[in-house]
Amino acid sequence: MHRSVWILAILACLALAAPARAQDRDENWKHCVDDDPDLSIGGCTALIQSGQETTTNLAIAFTNRCIAYHNKGDNEHAMQDCDQAIRLKSDYASAFSERGVVAYDRGDYDQSIKDLNMAIQLKPDDAVAFNNRGNAYSSKGQHDLAIADYNQALQLKPDYATAFNNRGDEYRIIGQYDKAITDLDQAIKLRPDYALAFSNRGLVYFKQNDDDHAIQDYSQAIALKVDDADAYYGRGRAYADKEQYDKAIADFDQAIKLDPTDASVLNSRCWYQAVIGQLQPALSDCTESLRLRPGDGPTLDSRGFVNLKMKNADAAIADYDAALSTDPGLVYSLYGRGLAKHLKGDKAGGDADMAAATQAEPDIADKFAKLGVKDEVSGSYGTAIMIAVGVGALAVIGFLGYYIGMRRSHPTPPASG
């Protein structure tokens, strides 16, 4: 949305700064402000190289070409052009604003905030700049500052659907789900075709354990944007919560087809393929996920589960060891490692792991049984319960604290951000 606002601002400057000359020059300016990045780059380049433009007009042309390069994903050339625009016109708010967006996309959030600060100083009524600075603050985890900027953007532009969407997602991040729903409802009311707002609202419903509404919103997001990999992933997780594993895996398939490099989706598909017994494909998915995101604890846990179901005890123990080294509170890894130790004949070691896991999550054995894995050592579960009773209160608090925080991690593996 900020692109259309920006172009209008640049056209307004142009109307003041560049009276019409020759027909070819008018055509170049028309192309320079076009939404098509290739047309824009060609038109702006012709104007820059013509030697006929004023300093102000050159700054406008460089900024438009910066936008075009950014839209093509060429942030290096975009940054160079925005730099040049600012050198030519040091009080040009649009150039600072666009350079802030490019810096954001490059992951340089501090530079983004610095540039957007300057843009806001030069143009205090720029709702888009406040919204974009809110995004940068959010990415730095400064949620109060992000919400304050979204508030200011909405005060300046009360019908700004993008800011409602972003503030709603920010409320979701900090766990204020009712406020999140209210904002996302408003974003959708303002823009009924706003696929991202539907997807974000679906995620809030998922966090509230309302899988039916989550599925409805993700489905609407997909209807509006058929190549939305995140929406397929979100809907797949909601289907998995409802134990509709075939539908879940079908959605993960589509998400991976759209983005084969998403380690989180590969991990999820690994887990649920293992649940329904498709073990070799599951193993391949987990291994690929770990190639993309080495050392990820939840994915090591998933691969450990696959190896456990395949009765590859040594491989399962190695994966669970690695998972627990990243987070000793991974209860499923602890219990799974106990089962794998039993497979190797290490009853004492297995009992100890299972007891600690059971102390944290008393129904863990039933959950594993539901996933198709039962302890094959006679009497071990009872022994584990007896040992668990004797575990100290401090351990109970520690593991329960983990469980409260991660209760939706299984059977749904957590997302990567």
Side-chain angles (χ1 to χ4, degrees), residues 4 33 43 53 100 102-103 123 151 157 161 168 189 194 204 276 285 294 321 357 388 411:
S4 60
V33 299
E53 299 300 331
V102 176
K123 191 178 179 186
N151 290 344
K157 186 175 173 57
K189 180 179 179 180
Y194 200 171
V204 178
I276 65 174
D285 274 351
D321 282 344

Side-chain angles (χ1 to χ4, degrees), residues 223-254:
L224 291 165
K225 190 172 186 289
V226 295
D227 61 347
D228 189 344
D230 289 338
Y232 281 106
Y233 177 41
R235 191 174 68 177
R237 293 202 298 169
Y239 277 134
D241 260 13
K242 292 168 66 68
E243 299 182 12
Q244 297 180 18
Y245 299 131
D246 288 343
K247 288 183 177 180
I249 290 170
D251 274 349
F252 297 148
D253 288 345
Q254 187 62 28

Side-chain angles (χ1 to χ4, degrees), residues 217-281:
D217 270 352
Y218 283 127
S219 296
Q220 184 61 31
I222 291 165
L224 291 165
K225 190 172 186 289
V226 295
D227 61 347
D228 189 344
D230 289 338
Y232 281 106
Y233 177 41
R235 191 174 68 177
R237 293 202 298 169
Y239 277 134
D241 260 13
K242 292 168 66 68
E243 299 182 12
Q244 297 180 18
Y245 299 131
D246 288 343
K247 288 183 177 180
I249 290 170
D251 274 349
F252 297 148
D253 288 345
Q254 187 62 28
I256 291 166
K257 180 179 178 181
L258 291 165
D259 183 4
T261 65
D262 193 325
S264 293
V265 187
L266 286 161
N267 177 33
S268 292
R269 191 171 69 175
C270 166
W271 177 265
Y272 291 108
Q273 286 179 144
V275 168
I276 65 174
Q278 296 178 1
L279 300 179
Q280 196 58 52

